[in-house]
Amino acid sequence: MNTTAPHFGRRIAFLRGLYRMTQGQLGEQSGFKQQEVSDFEGKPELADEVLMRLLGPLGITIERFKEMDEGAFGSTVYHVHDQAQAFGPFNTNNFNPIEKVVELAGKNEELYERLLEAEKEKNVYLQRLLDNN
């Protein structure tokens, strides 16, 4: 049983994020201004008329929207967000980027040499074909 009170604005923001839409894009497609979408995302309750317009571009019915379990997706989203924030603004890479660039440059050079060798073989093959004709 869901004990989390629904927050329609957070749900809209979550769904908009899943569809990789900006507030401006959702507003444009639903007939609202970006600022109105921003305001709606901060409200726990929204009128059905507003919901229908906002959910239209997302392809979700009001019934399905209202049945969403905010606790299930909210805890997942906020857990991932909290874990990302736990590391702060520090670089958490376990490698030296300069070493990676040098490594990739070496691989690039190897590929170029293989390409040159293949080109030489192709030319030899074409020359044989011409000599046979």
Side-chain angles (χ1 to χ4, degrees):
M1 178 178 193
N2 182 11
T3 58
T4 304
H7 192 290
F8 291 164
R10 270 198 305 254
R11 290 181 186 182
I12 292 292
F14 173 76
L15 293 169
R16 179 179 57 75
L18 285 178
Y19 285 85
R20 296 180 183 233
M21 295 176 77
T22 65
Q23 290 175 339
Q25 290 169 329
L26 180 58
E28 185 178 306
Q29 292 182 27
S30 60
F32 291 111
K33 295 177 183 170
Q34 179 273 327
Q35 186 58 51
E36 291 174 306
V37 174
S38 177
D39 292 343
F40 292 144
E41 289 181 357
K43 295 183 179 181
E45 293 183 21
L46 296 169
D48 283 353
E49 298 79 32
V50 171
L51 284 175
M52 284 193 312
R53 286 174 59 186
L54 289 171
L55 295 173
L58 302 173
I60 298 172
T61 64
I62 287 184
E63 294 78 22
R64 178 67 187 118
F65 178 79
K66 289 184 176 181
E67 291 172 1
M68 292 175 73
D69 183 357
E70 191 168 314
F73 76 76
S75 63
T76 302
V77 169
Y78 296 122
H79 173 73
V80 170
H81 180 267
D82 290 343
Q83 291 300 314
Q85 294 299 320
F87 294 109
F90 306 108
N91 183 357
T92 58
N93 294 335
N94 294 328
F95 60 88
N96 183 343
I98 295 173
E99 289 176 359
K100 287 290 183 185
V101 170
V102 170
E103 178 184 333
L104 291 173
K107 287 182 180 180
N108 197 21
E109 188 176 329
E110 290 174 14
L111 288 172
Y112 182 73
E113 289 173 4
R114 286 176 46 199
L115 180 66
L116 287 176
E117 192 62 38
E119 188 68 24
K120 288 178 188 176
E121 291 176 13
K122 180 185 86 170
N123 288 338
V124 168
Y125 179 76
L126 289 173
Q127 189 61 44
R128 282 189 206 157
L129 285 175
L130 288 173
D131 291 343
N132 289 337
N133 287 334

